[in-house]
């Protein structure tokens, strides 16, 4: 498909897909959805992702908070995933990422900011605790997702059942390559081989879901999501055909649609 407009809204396999020519418009719309959710319910539970894609998102959230146009004061956040076996204070932990990008730059209360604990003695029990915490807190109102080069969401690697709950996962070689060599995390040291992630079933329970992908390196994964039906080899294909899901893509990531 050729995209010539600044913003093109499509319905693909019953899924809302918005393609932007300008990344700034994409992130502005993504943050507007957050503002809308918090306006309706300032105490909303927001599901969050980390990674390179989301740096622009958090920059915009921090800017809107600084301008007084957005407040996270009453809301709670639940991150999708975290590595196993490093300290939360490790510069490569997702806790550190969130602290640098969001917690330290907004009025979100630290006690309302949740991630699985990377240094839990029993990661399996920690995953269960996290799943229960999400449930006890009333579930996720608005979930943000990125897409791995292999089509993963959270750290749900190809083959993960669509009804999975928060669990410990052995990271695939593709994900280890993506996060260490391609993104430049864990330079000069071994990247953790295990992580905890909300399951696909946990994610699909969210009341609204926004998926963001940018850059030509995501084009193949995005193409695979919409080429075939839902299948476990492409975890993000589980999101198709749901009214509550919107994919926000730049032209580069949409080039194989
Ligand atoms: C991270 C997460 C992952 C990333 C995905 C894309 O919390 O949930 O699924 O969203 O690996 O990562 P980037 O944005 O670095 O390409």
């Amino acid at each position: 498909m050729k995209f010539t407009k600044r913003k093109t809204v499509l319905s693909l396999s019953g899924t809302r897909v918005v393609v932007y020519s300008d990344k700034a418009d994409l992130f502005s719309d993504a943050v507007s959805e957050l503002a809308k959710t918090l306006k309706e319910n300032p105490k909303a539970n927001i599901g969050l992702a980390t990674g390179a894609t989301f740096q622009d998102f958090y920059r915009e959230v921090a800017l809107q908070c600084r301008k007084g146009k957005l407040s996270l004061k009453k809301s709670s956040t639940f991150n999708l995933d975290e590595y196993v076996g490093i300290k939360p204070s490790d510069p490569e932990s997702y806790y550190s990422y969130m602290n640098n990008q969001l917690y330290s730059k907004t009025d979100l209360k630290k006690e309302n900011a949740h991630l699985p604990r990377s240094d839990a003695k029993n990661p399996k029990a920690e995953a269960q605790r996290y799943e229960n915490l999400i449930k006890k807190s009333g579930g996720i109102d608005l979930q943000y997702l990125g897409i791995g080069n292999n089509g993963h969401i959270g750290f749900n690697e190809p083959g993960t059942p669509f009804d999975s709950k928060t669990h410990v996962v052995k990271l695939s070689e593709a994900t280890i390559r993506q996060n260490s060599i391609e993104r430049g995390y864990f330079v000069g040291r071994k990247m953790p081989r295990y992580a905890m992630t909300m399951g696909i079933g946990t994610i699909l329970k969210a009341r609204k879901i926004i998926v963001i992908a940018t850059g030509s390196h995501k084009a193949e994964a995005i193409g695979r999501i919409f080429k075939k039906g839902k299948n476990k080899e492409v975890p993000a294909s589980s999101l198709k055909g749901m009214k509550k899901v919107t994919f926000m893509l730049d032209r580069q990531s949409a080039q194989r649609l």
Side-chain angles (χ1 to χ4, degrees), residues 24 27-28 31 34-35 54-72 100-102 104-107:
F27 286 104
S28 162
V31 176
L34 175 63
F54 274 84
Q55 291 186 352
D56 288 338
F57 175 79
Y58 294 121
R59 199 170 301 125
E60 183 65 21
V61 171
L63 179 70
Q64 296 305 323
C65 279
R66 216 166 38 243
K67 285 184 179 167
K69 293 190 174 162
L70 193 64
S71 170
L72 303 175
N100 294 336
Q101 310 272 335
L102 187 77
S104 63
K105 298 202 165 109
T106 63
D107 58 355

Side-chain angles (χ1 to χ4, degrees), residues 11 19-20 25 27 33 36-37 40 42 47 72 89 97 116 125 130 136 141 147 153 155 171 179-180 183 228 230:
S11 176
V19 183
Y20 296 83
D25 290 347
F27 286 104
E33 286 296 331
K36 206 169 104 192
T37 300
E40 280 164 15
L72 303 175
S89 59
Y97 173 105
Y130 198 66
K136 220 172 58 196
D141 295 296
I147 301 273
I153 48 174
F155 272 137
L171 298 173
N179 282 13
S180 56
R183 301 279 185 283
K228 284 206 242 152
K230 292 188 187 202

Side-chain angles (χ1 to χ4, degrees), residues 52-53 148-149 182-183 214-221 252-253 255:
T53 311
N149 296 355
E182 291 170 27
R183 301 279 185 283
T214 58
S216 52
H217 58 298
K218 294 291 167 76
E220 195 189 328
Q252 286 71 26
S253 68
Q255 61 192 320

